[in-house]
Amino acid sequence: LLPWRTLRRLPALKGKRFYDRLFCPLVTLWYLLFQRLNPDHSLDRALADARAGGGNRINPKLSRGLVSRSTCSYSDARQRLPWLFLLQTLWLQAGKILGLSAATTQWRGLKIALLDGTTVRLRPHPAVAKDFPVHANQHPKRSYWCLMRVVVGFCGLCGAALDCAMGACQVSEQVLACQILLRSAGRCLFIGDRNFGVFRVVQAARQAHQHVLFRLTDSRARKLLCRPLRPGQYQVCWTPTRHDQLEPGCDTAPVPGRLLAVKVTRKGFRSLQLLLFTTLPHTADYPLEELVRLYGLRWHIELNLRYLKTQMDLVQLEVKSADMARKEWLAGLLAYNLVRAAQLSAALHKGISPLSLSFSSVRRRLENWLRTYASARRQLGAQWTELLEDLGCCLLPRRRKPRPSEPRAQRHLRSPYALLFGSRAAARRNLKKYASKS
């Protein structure tokens, strides 16, 4: 998935001189992935593996050259590596994963890309707050945490991460989605919820010669159709209004497309009116029922983001600079894609859908195999085939009855300590003032 000859020719490394160090860019990339896949994400654990010979296949002098037990050498190497190199590595890796089986990862010759965004929590170090300011809220007291907004495009048929855009929390998800659309390669169908069903995103998709399938709000769909909404499909032409934000450098002409109005009914649930806008033509290859089924895949991106935050431990990044925050997040996406690639290979081996396998079960078995395969005496091909057989058994359970609805709340353990508001420096000054009085 990551051929080293191609990695060395990526544009992000051109024009940069890397001396003959122990932690060259390839070794640094290897241990960035190692940190995300290992339960212990510390630099010390990565250095211990390097001293034990874990990276000697990339650099044979690595374990012999690491005399000091300090993590400064690896920490400096992480800072030297450009974060754009990790982003370009993600594009390369995603293309390799989709190339494993075009019949499984494409629909009617189109790549299905699901779009959605989330936020990542960061501590307010000065270098972090410069690019990702502290997020304000409705409370009079200022928030402590910095937030980094990310928008990720996932393959809707195998779950692999295809691209990612990052910015401050003051930057909208629509702006970040336009960045992904404008640099997308190949023929793609982008699917998103009502947050992306705006003219600016559709405008960027038309500029990139890509197709979209976005859900619309009721008010926007009524304005677009200019008459009462009834079930069916209508040819429309989306013209921007004076209230619509436009993408700089893109054509402002109206965008032709189809408005799909479908009433979805399910036993035991309220009926739902689904309003979709698509730029796909009205032909027999793209029927209404098939497009509605495709939009149903959009829910998988909510699960993918949950896997990234919980399974890959990316809820909060312990970094001290904005560039390292980007690198840690991209390294998490690369490690996540390794699990998805193994999941896709197991599904192809078994002849089943990749989405029918449990991500957490596949991750546990793959991490255990990575720890033990080097010491085994058998051929690597036989080990890999046995692993695919094992991964193919990690099927998601078929529930006999639907899972009950749960409240969006959690039970907290009682703590004897009060909540901390403001900075720690101010809290220390207050503590020192009250200690002097007592």
Side-chain angles (χ1 to χ4, degrees), residues 37-57:
L37 289 173
N38 200 64
D40 184 1
H41 307 312
S42 64
L43 302 184
D44 189 66
R45 180 64 185 88
L47 186 69
D49 182 82
R51 289 174 60 86
N56 282 357
R57 291 208 177 181

Side-chain angles (χ1 to χ4, degrees), residues 115-128:
L115 285 176
D116 206 355
T118 186
T119 55
V120 183
R121 196 165 60 232
L122 309 169
R123 293 195 181 275
H125 296 287
V128 174

Side-chain angles (χ1 to χ4, degrees), residues 3-31:
W4 68 273
R5 295 182 185 273
T6 310
L7 288 174
R8 294 175 64 177
R9 293 195 298 266
L10 288 178
L13 296 184
K14 289 184 178 180
K16 292 185 177 294
R17 296 183 60 187
F18 292 94
Y19 298 102
D20 188 16
R21 305 175 188 264
L22 294 176
F23 283 102
C24 61
L26 297 182
V27 176
T28 308
L29 173 63
W30 166 261
Y31 277 106

